[in-house]
Each structure stands twice: as structure tokens, then as C-alpha cells.
Amino acid sequence: MASIFSRIAAGEIPSYKVAENDKFFAFLDINPMAKGHTLVIPKQEVDYIYDLDDATLAELNVFAKKVAKAIEKAVPCKRVGVMVLGMEVPHAHIHLIPINKESDMLLSNRKLKLEQAEFEAIAQKIRDNI
Ligand code: 5GP
């Protein structure tokens, strides 16, 4: 069965899409640690990011860089923090999280609850900066 993230990339499950090409897809995390918290995935269904072949891993990171630069412009922050966990969803993904201080990256932080309109406005702003 396709992973939940494959189904999101295929448009079977709705998401707030930020960027896409033939190999990669970026969308807002539904339980964001900060406004603009984005997940970047390869469309190839691999659980562990370091099981990707070298070329795909490199391309994924370059794609994530493009998205991170757009997030920096769209969301006021000092920089975009990068995190890879994969403890919840078994489909490789990079978290891009706008941060102002170290503690903004703590997983124990309370997640934001945003309205649909706010998610859409953030996604649009990031898309506008890509
Ligand atoms: P991880 O696997 O890196 O530990 O965490 C998975 C991340 O994916 C979490 O931050 C969670 O909020 C996010 N997530 C899980 N399911 C969905 C979903 O259906 N849609 C979106 N947009 N994000 C999800």
C-alpha cells in the first residue's frame, strides 16, 4: 500500500503544496512547530533517507535548499532549521522549520493549530518566493 506521503504527492490526500517537480514534493506539516514548517519528500517511496541512492539524496537536498530559501523570504525568521526524524511516517522526509532560537527546534514544543485559510496563505507565500 502507498505511504500516506505518496498519497499526498499523488494528490489523493489533500495538502498545502509548496513545491513539486518530477522527483520531489514539498508541503506544509499539518502539526507545525512554526508557521512555514514544511516537509520535503522524494516521490520514490523509501522509508529511511540514507537508503536513497547518492544522486537522489543530493538532488533532494538541493530541492530542499530551494524551498528553504523561499521559506526564509516568506516567513520572518533568523534561518530555516533542518531536521530528519522519520519516527512517525515511514517515507523519507526533511523537516524545514523557520527558527529564531535553538529551542524552536525542540520536539517537545507545543505544535501550532492553524486554520485552513492560514495554512493556505503561508503555502501561497512560500510558492510566490520559489
Ligand atoms: P516524523 O516521521 O519525521 O517523526 O514526523 C512526521 C511528520 O509528518 C510530523 O511532523 C507530522 O505532523 C507530519 N504529518 C503526519 N501525517 C501528516 C499528514 O497527513 N499531512 C501532513 N501535512 N503532515 C503530516
Side-chain angles (χ1 to χ4, degrees):
M1 209 180 91
S3 77
I4 187 159
F5 285 175
S6 286
R7 297 183 66 203
I8 284 174
E12 293 168 23
I13 294 176
S15 71
Y16 301 99
K17 181 166 115 174
V18 161
E20 177 176 19
N21 68 14
D22 57 329
K23 288 188 183 162
F24 309 108
F25 192 89
F27 57 105
L28 296 183
D29 192 303
I30 206 69
N31 301 302
M33 290 173 64
K35 288 182 187 179
H37 181 169
T38 297
L39 302 175
V40 182
I41 65 165
K43 291 184 178 176
Q44 183 189 344
E45 209 170 89
V46 167
D47 175 357
Y48 183 43
I49 194 164
Y50 292 134
D51 285 333
L52 288 169
D53 66 75
D54 289 357
T56 306
L57 178 62
E59 274 186 73
L60 173 67
N61 277 294
V62 172
F63 184 81
K65 173 182 171 179
K66 202 164 92 170
V67 175
K69 291 286 182 192
I71 295 172
E72 280 170 30
K73 290 185 194 137
V75 180
C77 62
K78 273 203 173 150
R79 59 176 56 209
V80 170
V82 182
M83 184 164 72
V84 175
L85 293 161
M87 301 306 288
E88 190 188 319
V89 177
H91 183 138
H93 52 281
I94 297 174
H95 292 256
L96 299 176
I97 305 168
I99 56 172
N100 292 296
K101 55 188 185 307
E102 199 177 297
S103 61
D104 290 343
M105 290 293 280
L106 292 177
L107 288 175
S108 52
N109 290 345
R110 188 192 296 263
K111 307 298 182 288
L112 301 181
K113 291 262 177 275
L114 304 179
E115 299 295 329
Q116 193 175 327
E118 193 161 18
F119 273 117
E120 193 40 68
I122 295 166
Q124 181 67 56
K125 214 166 171 195
I126 298 171
R127 285 197 298 270
D128 288 346
N129 281 285
I130 287 192

